[in-house]
Amino acid sequence: MPVLQTVMQQSGVAFGTSGARGLVAAMTDEVCAAYTQAFVNTVQGAFEFKQVAIAVDLRPSSPRIAEACAKMLRQLGLELIFCGAIPTPALALFAQTRKIPGIMVTGSHIPFDRNGLKFYRPDGEITKSDEAAMLASELQTLSETTVSLPEETPQARAEYIQRYKDLLGDQALTGLKLAIYQHSSVARDVLHRLLSDLGAEVVCLERSDIFVPIDTEAVSAEDTQRGLDWAAQYQVDAIISTDGDGDRPLISDEQGNWLRGDIVGLLTAQALQISHLAVPVSCNTAIEASGYFQQVARTRIGSPFVIAGMEALQKEGATSVAGFEANGGFLLGSHIPQSPTLQPLPTRDAVLPVVTLLAQVKAQGKPLSQLVAALPQRFTASDRLQDFPTEKSKALLSGWTADPADMLQSLELAEQVSHMDTTDGLRVTLQSGSVVHLRPSGNAPEFRCYVEETSQLAAQSLLASVMAQLKKFA
């Protein structure tokens, strides 16, 4: 019998930093069924269940992929609960609450010609060891039967919205005027309903029937200008959006300036009185400089590594634990002091940071820009080179790690290196304190660059300079 490793190698659909992803053309019914079967085989070794929940994003290919997963679930004798088009964290909450596995069909922010699958055990995201077990799992052939997705169950959407209404209380955002950049985010209607129910005045913008790949870590120049224009036109307190599957927030201040995801995470963790944090190595050093946290554990990039970091903190005795990523996705690893009934949700979530920051704006009577200005002033910027083969970026980083002087010369950096970090890619701190971090994307053939400086202008200038040099290697 074949194993999933063989299917992965033949199809090119492979595990990245968050689930399995590949070209839609490569995600055939047989490939999707193979991943589904390997997932079930792996989870059945630790849990008993008779149902599996599935949800989809708004990509045109997602329903067909969900049907392929459903075929295999039916073939394995399992009942499918279809949760419809909802945010990934809403599916995770639904599955976790019922102690059943979940499968989310989504490619997140990557272009629409690609898609993916995210897998949830009854207790949360699959781990890297689960991925290894899936790859070794033996597979049976998908039968030729036709299976249609059952009628959508409304509970997953409703329970996710209620989670945050219970957290903040009725009319908690009354008096705020907010814009939602809807594009093709699967969270667009959930956000509209929730923010309206919480009392905010809501303006909906740019709803699209065509999939729009929004990357919260690399906001386009067009979307940067949109934010400024919308803020001036509508006079809002904030503009709210997410990536495609609603697990990463995109939030602007009242002036239309999009906040970096790690700044959103820092403000959220502060407001929730988190004492111990796990964050990727790429996040802003203002986190430590703020002095808000008893301990900050730095991890590789990707929610499985952040989750492992949170679990390690809890094993050491920490009781107030969270994590977040540079993309803004916030992972709640424990209960929080001010709301002991809010259940932990250790997967990336866009809505918790959104409502938390808006509640802070309301409670403190200060615009979002002032909350940001009160933080230590370290500024980050990031960009990516698309269609950059992973093998090429790995080779470059291997050479530069062995010979930092070559990196300095290749990127035209005039300073010496004071510190190198190879936790994930190559993160170099220069003598002035400037940071340049390079790494291959775990989800697509992209070469990512993150920089950190003492001003936003300096960060943008450094980023532009480094990206110009990197393009010579494309």
Side-chain angles (χ1 to χ4, degrees):
M1 298 177 72
V3 296
L4 184 62
Q5 178 84 40
T6 304
V7 174
M8 182 189 77
Q9 292 170 342
Q10 292 174 346
S11 66
V13 178
F15 284 114
T17 52
S18 181
R21 293 185 182 172
L23 291 167
V24 168
M27 296 188 70
T28 62
D29 285 8
E30 290 74 19
V31 169
C32 297
Y35 270 93
T36 301
Q37 184 181 171
F39 170 57
V40 170
N41 291 347
T42 299
V43 179
Q44 280 181 331
F47 301 93
E48 291 186 6
F49 55 91
K50 297 181 179 179
Q51 298 174 314
V52 177
I54 289 184
V56 296
D57 68 8
L58 296 178
R59 292 167 186 268
S61 59
S62 292
R64 191 269 301 168
I65 291 173
E67 287 183 353
C69 298
K71 286 182 186 179
M72 180 50 70
L73 293 176
R74 182 75 58 85
Q75 188 170 318
L76 296 173
L78 294 167
E79 179 187 351
L80 168 66
I81 302 176
F82 181 53
C83 298
I86 59 171
T88 294
L91 170 75
L93 178 68
F94 180 84
Q96 176 182 291
T97 301
R98 287 157 180 78
K99 294 182 171 53
I100 62 173
I103 301 174
M104 180 72 189
V105 181
T106 180
S108 186
H109 66 279
I110 59 178
F112 79 98
D113 63 337
R114 298 172 181 269
N115 211 323
L117 296 166
K118 292 183 179 180
F119 300 99
Y120 288 87
R121 302 169 3 146
D123 60 349
E125 289 187 25
I126 60 170
T127 64
K128 289 299 177 183
S129 61
D130 290 327
E131 290 181 8
M134 286 175 63
L135 290 174
S137 181
E138 293 186 349
L139 307 173
Q140 57 182 265
T141 302
L142 178 66
S143 67
E144 295 299 320
T145 57
T146 300
V147 174
S148 298
L149 295 173
E151 185 176 347
E152 174 185 337
T153 179
Q155 284 95 331
R157 183 190 307 270
E159 290 170 9
Y160 185 61
I161 292 172
Q162 193 62 45
R163 170 182 172 86
Y164 295 112
K165 292 172 67 173
D166 291 344
L167 172 64
L168 267 64
D170 290 342
Q171 304 303 303
L173 301 182
T174 299
L176 296 185
K177 183 179 180 182
L178 308 170
I180 300 176
Y181 175 22
Q182 292 193 309
H183 60 92
S184 54
S185 166
V186 76
R188 59 192 184 185
D189 294 329
V190 165
L191 282 171
H192 188 192
R193 168 75 182 278
L194 173 61
L195 297 177
S196 298
D197 285 356
L198 290 171
E201 178 185 351
V202 177
V203 179
C204 294
L205 304 170
E206 294 285 327
R207 188 182 183 94
S208 174
D209 292 328
I210 300 172
F211 189 81
V212 180
I214 297 290
D215 185 351
T216 61
E217 278 188 275
V219 179
S220 68
E222 181 181 13
D223 283 332
T224 298
Q225 188 60 49
R226 277 177 169 160
L228 299 173
D229 293 344
W230 287 336
Q233 179 178 354
Y234 295 102
Q235 297 294 298
V236 292
D237 293 289
I239 305 169
I240 308 301
S241 191
T242 77
D243 65 340
D245 69 322
D247 68 349
R248 308 176 185 189
L250 186 61
I251 305 172
S252 88
D253 63 18
E254 73 286 356
Q255 298 164 3
N257 298 303
W258 299 112
L259 275 58
R260 296 288 305 179
D262 43 12
I263 297 301
V264 169
L266 171 52
L267 289 170
T268 302
Q270 177 193 8
L272 296 178
Q273 300 173 28
I274 300 298
S275 63
H276 290 69
L277 273 181
V279 297
V281 67
S282 58
C283 283
N284 194 307
T285 58
I287 297 165
E288 287 89 352
S290 70
Y292 293 144
F293 311 105
Q294 293 181 32
Q295 185 177 350
V296 179
R298 293 277 180 163
T299 75
R300 289 178 61 188
I301 293 172
S303 56
F305 301 109
V306 175
I307 292 168
M310 293 195 299
E311 291 173 346
L313 290 170
Q314 288 172 310
K315 288 179 181 177
E316 294 169 2
T319 57
S320 175
V321 179
F324 57 82
E325 299 180 272
N327 57 44
F330 198 90
L331 302 91
L332 186 62
S334 69
H335 289 90
I336 56 175
Q338 63 270 57
S339 182
T341 59
L342 183 70
Q343 294 298 312
L345 187 59
T347 194
R348 279 193 300 243
D349 185 14
V351 171
L352 178 58
V354 165
V355 297
T356 299
L357 263 60
L358 294 176
Q360 288 295 297
V361 169
K362 177 72 183 296
Q364 296 188 29
K366 296 179 180 179
L368 197 46
S369 62
Q370 287 189 23
L371 301 184
V372 174
L375 296 173
Q377 295 300 285
R378 294 289 295 174
F379 296 85
T380 51
S382 61
D383 203 349
R384 57 184 172 157
L385 286 176
Q386 295 178 292
D387 299 317
F388 198 109
T390 301
E391 297 76 15
K392 181 183 289 188
S393 55
K394 286 183 175 179
L396 273 176
L397 295 186
S398 177
W400 287 343
T401 300
D403 186 2
D406 183 41
M407 173 187 175
L408 295 175
Q409 182 178 5
S410 298
L411 300 183
E412 296 188 359
L413 298 171
E415 300 179 49
Q416 294 301 305
V417 173
S418 65
H419 180 70
M420 289 176 58
D421 188 329
T422 56
T423 300
D424 196 336
L426 178 59
R427 184 176 173 89
V428 171
T429 303
L430 304 177
Q431 285 182 330
S432 66
S434 303
V435 175
V436 176
H437 182 189
L438 305 171
R439 64 179 285 272
S441 171
N443 297 318
E446 299 174 350
F447 200 10
R448 289 186 176 268
C449 176
Y450 315 77
V451 302
E452 184 175 321
E453 270 284 6
T454 54
S455 74
Q456 193 63 60
L457 185 61
Q460 293 293 349
S461 176
L462 178 59
L463 178 66
S465 176
V466 172
M467 291 298 294
Q469 302 310 314
L470 286 178
K471 286 178 182 177
K472 296 178 181 178
F473 297 93

